[in-house]
Structures are given as C-alpha cells and as structure tokens.
Amino acid sequence: MILAYLAALAATRISEAPQAFIHRIYAGYARKNYDSLRHIDLIFSPDLGAAIRTDERLAKGEVGYLDGDPLCDCQDHGKLTARIRALNLPTRTSAIATMHVDFGTGETKELRLKLVLGRHGWRVADIVSSDGTSLLAELNRANRTR
C-alpha cells in the first residue's frame, strides 16, 4: 500500500515548484495573442476547468460569465508582466500566491492564485480578485442560474 502510494507520487510533476509553475504560465503573455483559456488542462485544476467549460457551453457562442482571460482578469493583456508578491504554502499540496499584474500601461491588478498539486503537477484552483471575489464561486453561481 505504501509502495503504491510512493510510486504514484513519484509519477507526478512534483519536482516543479509552485513558483516555477506560476512563472511558466505567465511566460505565455510574452506572445501577442496568448490566451490561457486555450490551455485549460495545463493551467487550471479539474474543478475550475470544468466550471470554465460549463460557462462556455451554457453561453452557446455568446459571452458567458467569463469575459476575458482569468489569469490577468483582462481582455487585452498588452505588455503584461506578473510578479509574485507573496507565496504561502499551507500544505504540501496547496499554495496561495499573491500576484502583482502590470499591463505596461500604468494599470495594475492584484490577484490571489490558489494552487493545488495534483497528479499532473500544480494547477490554478481559483483566482481571487482584489475585492475578494472568487472566480470559481462566481462561475459556479452563474452556471447554476442559467
């Protein structure tokens, strides 16, 4: 039983630190037309990914609750850069990163990324805006009411 657990744990991408995951997902913004929603399974946890896909399906080709890129809380990222202000690791399989997102235009945002470590490595489980709004909670609420 213990050996099976250790083998499963070894098969995950646990060697990537949460900081490296965050840097990797924000590195895409160096490309002009980058869209994190084209990489749902590589960036978002299964729960958040399912909520995003449900929102898209229920929107039926129109704009759903999610009206932009959730990693920057924006529609146009311009010359976006992101910096980790703080990183808390409450457990070995969860982390909370406070992000400073700069759009290169004088506009900035503060976001909190809640991360979880799954069998495929770190993923974004929720994004909390500076006003405390949870993306996952709001997507689930919107999905239930349509």
Side-chain angles (χ1 to χ4, degrees), residues 40-115:
I40 290 175
D41 294 328
L42 298 175
I43 295 175
F44 303 104
S45 70
D47 289 344
L48 183 53
I52 291 169
R53 286 189 172 100
T54 299
D55 179 57
E56 290 173 349
R57 181 178 51 80
L58 293 174
K60 299 177 183 173
E62 300 295 323
V63 175
Y65 173 82
L66 195 57
D67 184 20
D69 187 323
L71 283 182
C72 61
D73 191 19
C74 65
Q75 292 179 343
D76 181 20
H77 60 76
K79 295 183 184 233
L80 181 143
T81 58
R83 184 167 42 94
I84 300 171
R85 282 200 187 267
L87 182 66
N88 298 316
L89 296 161
T91 70
R92 291 179 46 188
T93 59
S94 68
I96 300 170
T98 303
M99 301 299 301
H100 177 78
V101 180
D102 188 327
F103 296 96
T105 61
E107 180 185 1
T108 63
K109 288 191 178 178
E110 300 291 321
L111 301 171
R112 257 188 0 254
L113 304 181
K114 293 185 178 183
L115 308 177

